[in-house]
Amino acid sequence: MHTILLVEDEAPLRELIGDYFTAKSGGQWRLLPAADGTEGLLLARSQPVDLVILDVMLPDMDGFSLCQELRRQGDVPILFLSARTAEEDRLRGYGLGADDYMTKPFSQAELFAKAGALLRRSKGEAGRQVLSSGGVELDILAHTLSVDGERVDAAPKELAILRLLLESRGQVLRREDLLLRLWGWDFEGSDRVVDSHIRRLRKLLGPWSGCIRTVFKTGYKWEP
Ligand code: CA
């Protein structure tokens, strides 16, 4: 669960971002909306926040001052979201310790992706061994799979197959090779066992299931 403070004076934009983040994160991201800098500062002081998304032009103080104030308190990641596109504004933001700067109009998907990247970095997860493609994220050390930010329960064999697919993305993995690598030489069943695991894996991947391509009479490959 991540807590994200969004300081933005336009109510429709707050709602839009809130709805999008909640849906895309599968409820894993909690958004604290603030309509001005004072409210934002109060919220940031009253509870732990994992990321701040900050508008620059606000009714009371400007986002730059708020950024400065937040930096005095700690190193929470700060992402500016501003209609001010001038290079000097962006540089000023970075100079005050912002981690990223996006200009309006913006893509919700990109904002979500940037926010996710900042959250991962700040949680010290950069050292994780993660294979990802699109919305699919496989944490090799933790043996966990998440799809579009939501944790999905998968059996060890499914995770192992997904790992091989992701590691050799774009290349065809032959059924025999998958069998050999995952079941070993002494496996006596049919290589169709691979197909049934692939079927289960596809089900788990939901909207990304199409990334596992069937290669006629040969095997499978991962193609985003
Ligand atoms: Ca504004």
Side-chain angles (χ1 to χ4, degrees):
M1 177 67 99
H2 296 299
T3 304
I4 299 168
L5 172 63
L6 170 66
V7 188
E8 166 63 64
D9 57 326
E10 290 169 58
L13 201 51
R14 286 199 302 274
E15 246 169 70
L16 203 70
I17 295 174
D19 291 347
Y20 189 84
F21 277 20
T22 305
K24 280 290 263 186
S25 71
Q28 291 302 296
W29 293 9
R30 189 169 67 106
L31 205 78
L32 299 174
D36 57 44
T38 314
E39 196 188 348
L41 206 51
L42 278 174
L43 282 171
R45 282 176 178 159
S46 67
Q47 60 203 293
V49 169
D50 302 309
L51 169 71
V52 182
I53 298 176
L54 203 47
D55 186 15
V56 172
M57 289 179 281
L58 294 165
D60 48 358
M61 62 177 86
D62 69 20
F64 294 130
S65 320
L66 182 51
C67 177
Q68 228 166 354
E69 202 52 50
L70 290 168
R71 269 291 158 269
R72 240 174 252 145
Q73 296 170 31
D75 52 5
V76 61
I78 297 173
L79 191 163
F80 273 110
L81 181 62
S82 172
R84 288 163 66 150
T85 57
E87 186 188 48
E88 56 173 299
D89 284 322
R90 295 205 302 271
L91 292 178
R92 188 169 168 208
Y94 289 121
L96 292 172
D99 296 278
D100 213 330
Y101 193 109
M102 272 187 85
T103 53
K104 297 174 187 171
F106 63 100
S107 131
Q108 299 241 66
E110 191 182 353
L111 179 64
F112 183 81
K114 278 178 184 284
L118 288 173
L119 287 169
R120 277 195 296 278
R121 234 184 291 153
S122 73
K123 290 279 173 180
E125 292 173 4
R128 291 186 316 163
Q129 275 197 46
V130 173
L131 289 169
S132 66
S133 176
V136 176
E137 235 186 48
L138 175 65
D139 189 324
I140 294 171
L141 298 179
H143 299 285
T144 55
L145 167 65
S146 63
V147 176
D148 289 330
E150 208 168 350
R151 180 70 63 81
V152 169
D153 282 326
K157 276 285 189 279
E158 267 100 68
L159 293 178
I161 291 177
L162 180 62
R163 177 178 180 172
L164 289 175
L165 284 166
L166 287 170
E167 280 175 344
S168 50
R169 64 187 74 179
Q171 293 166 8
V172 181
L173 284 173
R174 300 185 318 146
R175 275 195 192 81
E176 304 89 307
D177 293 339
L178 280 167
L179 264 186
L180 189 61
R181 290 173 74 172
L182 298 174
W183 281 269
W185 284 107
D186 51 8
F187 179 75
E188 297 198 340
S190 142
D191 63 1
R192 295 292 149 182
V193 69
V194 173
D195 300 348
S196 65
H197 280 284
I198 290 278
R199 257 198 308 279
R200 250 171 276 162
L201 186 54
R202 280 191 175 132
K203 219 173 269 173
L204 296 174
L205 297 181
W208 302 95
S209 59
C211 295
I212 304 180
R213 302 283 167 87
T214 305
V215 182
F216 186 60
K217 283 190 171 168
T218 313
Y220 297 94
K221 70 173 168 179
W222 183 269
E223 216 170 49

PDB file of all heavy atoms in Angstrom, residues 3 27 32 67 87 144 153 178 183 220:
ATOM      1  N   THR A   3       0.932   5.579  -0.080  1.00  0.00           N
ATOM      2  CA  THR A   3       0.143   6.781   0.132  1.00  0.00           C
ATOM      3  C   THR A   3       0.734   7.918  -0.686  1.00  0.00           C
ATOM      4  O   THR A   3       1.925   8.214  -0.585  1.00  0.00           O
ATOM      5  CB  THR A   3       0.132   7.162   1.623  1.00  0.00           C
ATOM      6  OG1 THR A   3      -0.345   6.040   2.370  1.00  0.00           O
ATOM      7  CG2 THR A   3      -0.771   8.349   1.876  1.00  0.00           C
ATOM      8  N   GLY A  27      -6.253  -0.717  -6.152  1.00  0.00           N
ATOM      9  CA  GLY A  27      -6.521  -0.304  -4.784  1.00  0.00           C
ATOM     10  C   GLY A  27      -5.285  -0.250  -3.898  1.00  0.00           C
ATOM     11  O   GLY A  27      -5.382  -0.037  -2.698  1.00  0.00           O
ATOM     12  N   LEU A  32      -4.181  11.011  -1.232  1.00  0.00           N
ATOM     13  CA  LEU A  32      -4.632  12.063  -0.320  1.00  0.00           C
ATOM     14  C   LEU A  32      -4.733  13.345  -1.132  1.00  0.00           C
ATOM     15  O   LEU A  32      -3.709  13.909  -1.529  1.00  0.00           O
ATOM     16  CB  LEU A  32      -3.604  12.285   0.793  1.00  0.00           C
ATOM     17  CG  LEU A  32      -3.267  11.143   1.730  1.00  0.00           C
ATOM     18  CD1 LEU A  32      -2.126  11.563   2.650  1.00  0.00           C
ATOM     19  CD2 LEU A  32      -4.479  10.760   2.548  1.00  0.00           C
ATOM     20  N   CYS A  67       7.421  22.636  -2.118  1.00  0.00           N
ATOM     21  CA  CYS A  67       8.487  21.664  -2.371  1.00  0.00           C
ATOM     22  C   CYS A  67       9.658  21.905  -1.411  1.00  0.00           C
ATOM     23  O   CYS A  67      10.184  20.975  -0.790  1.00  0.00           O
ATOM     24  CB  CYS A  67       8.946  21.772  -3.814  1.00  0.00           C
ATOM     25  SG  CYS A  67      10.325  20.705  -4.263  1.00  0.00           S
ATOM     26  N   GLU A  87      11.453  26.012 -19.516  1.00  0.00           N
ATOM     27  CA  GLU A  87      12.612  25.279 -19.015  1.00  0.00           C
ATOM     28  C   GLU A  87      13.037  25.808 -17.647  1.00  0.00           C
ATOM     29  O   GLU A  87      13.407  25.051 -16.757  1.00  0.00           O
ATOM     30  CB  GLU A  87      13.769  25.416 -20.012  1.00  0.00           C
ATOM     31  CG  GLU A  87      14.962  24.567 -19.618  1.00  0.00           C
ATOM     32  CD  GLU A  87      16.177  24.852 -20.496  1.00  0.00           C
ATOM     33  OE1 GLU A  87      16.508  26.037 -20.704  1.00  0.00           O
ATOM     34  OE2 GLU A  87      16.775  23.891 -20.976  1.00  0.00           O
ATOM     35  N   THR A 144       7.233 -13.409  -6.564  1.00  0.00           N
ATOM     36  CA  THR A 144       5.891 -12.841  -6.640  1.00  0.00           C
ATOM     37  C   THR A 144       5.638 -12.282  -8.026  1.00  0.00           C
ATOM     38  O   THR A 144       6.543 -11.829  -8.711  1.00  0.00           O
ATOM     39  CB  THR A 144       5.691 -11.701  -5.617  1.00  0.00           C
ATOM     40  OG1 THR A 144       6.714 -10.725  -5.814  1.00  0.00           O
ATOM     41  CG2 THR A 144       5.745 -12.218  -4.201  1.00  0.00           C
ATOM     42  N   ASP A 153      -1.573 -14.649  -7.351  1.00  0.00           N
ATOM     43  CA  ASP A 153      -1.022 -15.906  -6.844  1.00  0.00           C
ATOM     44  C   ASP A 153      -0.730 -16.853  -7.994  1.00  0.00           C
ATOM     45  O   ASP A 153      -1.609 -17.166  -8.774  1.00  0.00           O
ATOM     46  CB  ASP A 153      -2.016 -16.577  -5.887  1.00  0.00           C
ATOM     47  CG  ASP A 153      -1.991 -15.901  -4.531  1.00  0.00           C
ATOM     48  OD1 ASP A 153      -0.895 -15.457  -4.125  1.00  0.00           O
ATOM     49  OD2 ASP A 153      -3.049 -15.813  -3.895  1.00  0.00           O
ATOM     50  N   LEU A 178      11.608 -26.152 -22.614  1.00  0.00           N
ATOM     51  CA  LEU A 178      10.914 -25.787 -21.373  1.00  0.00           C
ATOM     52  C   LEU A 178      10.815 -27.003 -20.446  1.00  0.00           C
ATOM     53  O   LEU A 178      11.071 -26.906 -19.245  1.00  0.00           O
ATOM     54  CB  LEU A 178       9.518 -25.250 -21.685  1.00  0.00           C
ATOM     55  CG  LEU A 178       9.448 -23.787 -22.139  1.00  0.00           C
ATOM     56  CD1 LEU A 178       8.082 -23.471 -22.721  1.00  0.00           C
ATOM     57  CD2 LEU A 178       9.732 -22.858 -20.954  1.00  0.00           C
ATOM     58  N   TRP A 183      11.507 -29.493 -15.759  1.00  0.00           N
ATOM     59  CA  TRP A 183      11.155 -30.787 -15.193  1.00  0.00           C
ATOM     60  C   TRP A 183      12.330 -31.763 -15.175  1.00  0.00           C
ATOM     61  O   TRP A 183      12.295 -32.772 -14.525  1.00  0.00           O
ATOM     62  CB  TRP A 183       9.967 -31.413 -15.944  1.00  0.00           C
ATOM     63  CG  TRP A 183       8.633 -30.850 -15.539  1.00  0.00           C
ATOM     64  CD1 TRP A 183       7.812 -31.333 -14.553  1.00  0.00           C
ATOM     65  CD2 TRP A 183       7.949 -29.721 -16.097  1.00  0.00           C
ATOM     66  NE1 TRP A 183       6.668 -30.567 -14.458  1.00  0.00           N
ATOM     67  CE2 TRP A 183       6.722 -29.573 -15.391  1.00  0.00           C
ATOM     68  CE3 TRP A 183       8.235 -28.817 -17.108  1.00  0.00           C
ATOM     69  CZ2 TRP A 183       5.803 -28.557 -15.678  1.00  0.00           C
ATOM     70  CZ3 TRP A 183       7.316 -27.806 -17.385  1.00  0.00           C
ATOM     71  CH2 TRP A 183       6.122 -27.678 -16.678  1.00  0.00           C
ATOM     72  N   TYR A 220       6.627 -21.456 -27.503  1.00  0.00           N
ATOM     73  CA  TYR A 220       6.052 -20.178 -27.129  1.00  0.00           C
ATOM     74  C   TYR A 220       7.107 -19.085 -27.133  1.00  0.00           C
ATOM     75  O   TYR A 220       8.291 -19.358 -26.992  1.00  0.00           O
ATOM     76  CB  TYR A 220       5.454 -20.270 -25.722  1.00  0.00           C
ATOM     77  CG  TYR A 220       4.336 -21.254 -25.630  1.00  0.00           C
ATOM     78  CD1 TYR A 220       4.582 -22.556 -25.221  1.00  0.00           C
ATOM     79  CD2 TYR A 220       3.039 -20.904 -25.987  1.00  0.00           C
ATOM     80  CE1 TYR A 220       3.557 -23.495 -25.155  1.00  0.00           C
ATOM     81  CE2 TYR A 220       2.015 -21.832 -25.925  1.00  0.00           C
ATOM     82  CZ  TYR A 220       2.269 -23.137 -25.509  1.00  0.00           C
ATOM     83  OH  TYR A 220       1.279 -24.032 -25.459  1.00  0.00           O
TER      84      TYR A 220
END
